[in-house]
Amino acid sequence: MFSTLREYHQAIASAIWMVILSIIPQDLVRLGAIFLGGVIFVCNIMDAMRPQNRMKKLQHRLQSLEAKLQDAVKSGIMCRSDTNFTAQIARNMGGIRYRTFELYEKTLLTSGGILQEIKAFWEGHSRDINECIEDVEALERDLEINHAKVLKDHYSSWRYWPN
């Protein structure tokens, strides 16, 4: 089969290289896929946490809250609510609006480029926007609870309605 020892060693070396080359590409493909997936994952998280994107979500949530508040006023829910609650809602809405405009101004100042946005992110601007979003959501929840409470009180006389 092999006429010399040299040919035998060459055949073994060739077989070893074939095995190595058949293993490496699969591992490289797996490693490349893991790396690419990780890069895509990190990029999506960074995009979601960009101050501009968070600010858009805050503005959308604030508009939703204001629409619900207007509906509560138009339907008379706020008139039937506790005066302390109404004053608290007005005070909280004023504070949230002020913070929103403040955060919006800071967002516009950092919208010069991706490096400025990354700097603003690391300085906690996105965190501040997230806290404001949480405050809007809490106020919206309080408004919904009050709405349900007022309607429950309004229909309390129907509690024992015969079937």
Side-chain angles (χ1 to χ4, degrees), residues 65-78:
L65 174 63
E66 288 174 345
K68 287 182 180 181
L69 186 59
Q70 286 176 356
D71 288 343
V73 169
K74 286 180 184 176
S75 66
I77 296 292
M78 294 306 284

Side-chain angles (χ1 to χ4, degrees), residues 21-64:
L21 290 176
S22 68
I23 292 173
I24 288 177
Q26 293 173 355
D27 292 340
L28 285 177
V29 167
R30 288 185 194 122
L31 185 63
I34 290 170
F35 178 73
L36 183 61
V39 167
I40 290 171
F41 178 74
V42 168
C43 287
N44 284 336
I45 288 176
M46 290 294 292
D47 187 54
M49 293 306 293
R50 284 178 55 201
Q52 287 184 347
N53 293 343
R54 303 306 305 160
M55 195 66 214
K56 287 177 186 175
K57 181 176 180 179
L58 172 59
Q59 289 173 334
H60 177 71
R61 294 303 304 249
L62 186 60
Q63 287 175 349
S64 172

Side-chain angles (χ1 to χ4, degrees), residues 101-112:
F101 289 128
E102 189 178 51
L103 291 168
Y104 185 62
E105 178 186 20
K106 189 174 179 183
T107 301
L108 289 176
L109 291 172
T110 61
S111 64

Side-chain angles (χ1 to χ4, degrees), residues 11-162:
I12 290 176
S14 176
I16 290 172
W17 277 112
M18 284 177 40
V19 169
I20 289 172
L21 290 176
S22 68
I23 292 173
I24 288 177
Q26 293 173 355
D27 292 340
L28 285 177
V29 167
R30 288 185 194 122
L31 185 63
I34 290 170
F35 178 73
L36 183 61
V39 167
I40 290 171
F41 178 74
V42 168
C43 287
N44 284 336
I45 288 176
M46 290 294 292
D47 187 54
M49 293 306 293
R50 284 178 55 201
Q52 287 184 347
N53 293 343
R54 303 306 305 160
M55 195 66 214
K56 287 177 186 175
K57 181 176 180 179
L58 172 59
Q59 289 173 334
H60 177 71
R61 294 303 304 249
L62 186 60
Q63 287 175 349
S64 172
L65 174 63
E66 288 174 345
K68 287 182 180 181
L69 186 59
Q70 286 176 356
D71 288 343
V73 169
K74 286 180 184 176
S75 66
I77 296 292
M78 294 306 284
C79 293
R80 290 183 259 162
S81 297
D82 182 25
T83 56
N84 292 332
F85 176 79
T86 306
Q88 177 189 357
I89 289 288
R91 189 172 47 253
N92 290 347
M93 279 298 294
I96 287 174
R97 284 184 183 125
Y98 177 79
R99 282 181 51 207
T100 300
F101 289 128
E102 189 178 51
L103 291 168
Y104 185 62
E105 178 186 20
K106 189 174 179 183
T107 301
L108 289 176
L109 291 172
T110 61
S111 64
I114 190 70
L115 293 178
Q116 287 180 335
E117 280 194 79
I118 291 172
K119 182 181 174 191
F121 172 78
W122 286 114
E123 290 175 350
H125 185 53
S126 293
R127 184 192 66 236
D128 294 341
I129 295 172
N130 283 338
E131 288 172 0
C132 194
I133 290 172
E134 289 172 5
D135 290 344
V136 168
E137 290 172 349
L139 192 59
E140 192 172 16
R141 193 173 37 253
D142 290 344
L143 190 64
E144 290 291 327
I145 290 170
N146 182 60
H147 184 91
K149 191 182 299 183
V150 168
L151 288 177
K152 182 186 85 169
D153 291 343
H154 179 72
Y155 291 106
S156 64
S157 64
W158 293 17
R159 176 185 246 170
Y160 300 108
W161 187 263

